Amino acid sequence: MKNDGVSRRPDDGKVGITTTEVMVMGRSYGEFSHDLQRSWRPEAREVADAMAAGSRALYEDDLRRQIGQTLKRCRLELGLRQADVATRAGVRQTDVSAVERGLGNPTMHTLVAISTAVHARLQIVESPATARTDEREIPSASGVRQSVHAGR
């Protein structure tokens, strides 16, 4: 019997999925979906792309707000004003304000400078589904330790 991720019971001919990968007409769902999307009219592709971009934008907005709130909380715990953080970080006070409010698109340099000024550490962590246990700490030029988690 062909092993294509589908079980067939010889007695009744019914089909049941036995693996986590869904097979559609002998192909994985990803392959089937990709082929189907290629057959879409240009207008349908534009709508799908706009929806995906909108979803990404919402995620990025939420992420910027979370980072800003965390940096603000760290600043307040240290009893610092935005101007104090700006001086320590070598950025403008308006940059600190924008980051704390989750606005704009700050550079990595600005985020690292502000986080260092408030004794915080920026860290990218893999989602639990793909995380590995490998971790290395790398000293930065500023003396603040940065954790680097190995990818897949």
Side-chain angles (χ1 to χ4, degrees):
M1 181 182 300
K2 183 176 159 186
N3 184 5
D4 60 357
V6 176
S7 67
R8 292 173 180 79
R9 285 186 240 142
D11 53 306
D12 62 4
K14 293 184 180 175
V15 176
I17 298 171
T18 59
T19 66
T20 56
E21 184 175 69
V22 176
M23 302 298 284
V24 179
M25 297 189 302
R27 298 179 290 168
S28 72
Y29 178 77
E31 292 169 333
F32 174 78
S33 175
H34 178 73
D35 289 347
L36 181 63
Q37 289 176 10
R38 286 188 349 183
S39 70
W40 290 354
R41 294 189 325 244
E43 306 85 47
R45 261 191 237 120
E46 287 175 24
V47 169
D49 291 344
M51 289 174 64
S55 178
R56 261 190 316 276
L58 287 174
Y59 169 76
E60 290 170 3
D61 288 347
D62 186 49
L63 185 59
R64 275 192 291 273
R65 274 192 292 280
Q66 288 177 20
I67 291 170
Q69 290 170 356
T70 301
L71 292 174
K72 181 177 182 177
R73 187 174 52 252
C74 291
R75 173 179 65 81
L76 293 174
E77 287 174 4
L78 291 172
L80 298 173
R81 298 172 303 138
Q82 287 181 346
D84 300 329
V85 173
T87 300
R88 287 181 174 195
V91 299
R92 298 175 308 205
Q93 182 273 328
T94 55
D95 293 332
V96 175
S97 174
V99 167
E100 286 185 354
R101 291 181 293 139
L103 303 177
N105 193 14
T107 65
M108 184 61 83
H109 172 79
T110 299
L111 287 174
V112 169
I114 293 172
S115 66
T116 301
V118 297
H119 303 227
R121 178 174 65 177
L122 288 178
Q123 186 173 354
I124 297 174
V125 180
E126 292 179 273
S127 64
T130 60
R132 287 180 28 185
T133 58
D134 301 350
E135 182 177 320
R136 296 176 289 160
E137 286 203 343
I138 301 174
S140 68
S142 66
V144 176
R145 291 183 165 276
Q146 300 173 359
S147 289
V148 178
H149 296 271
R152 289 189 274 172

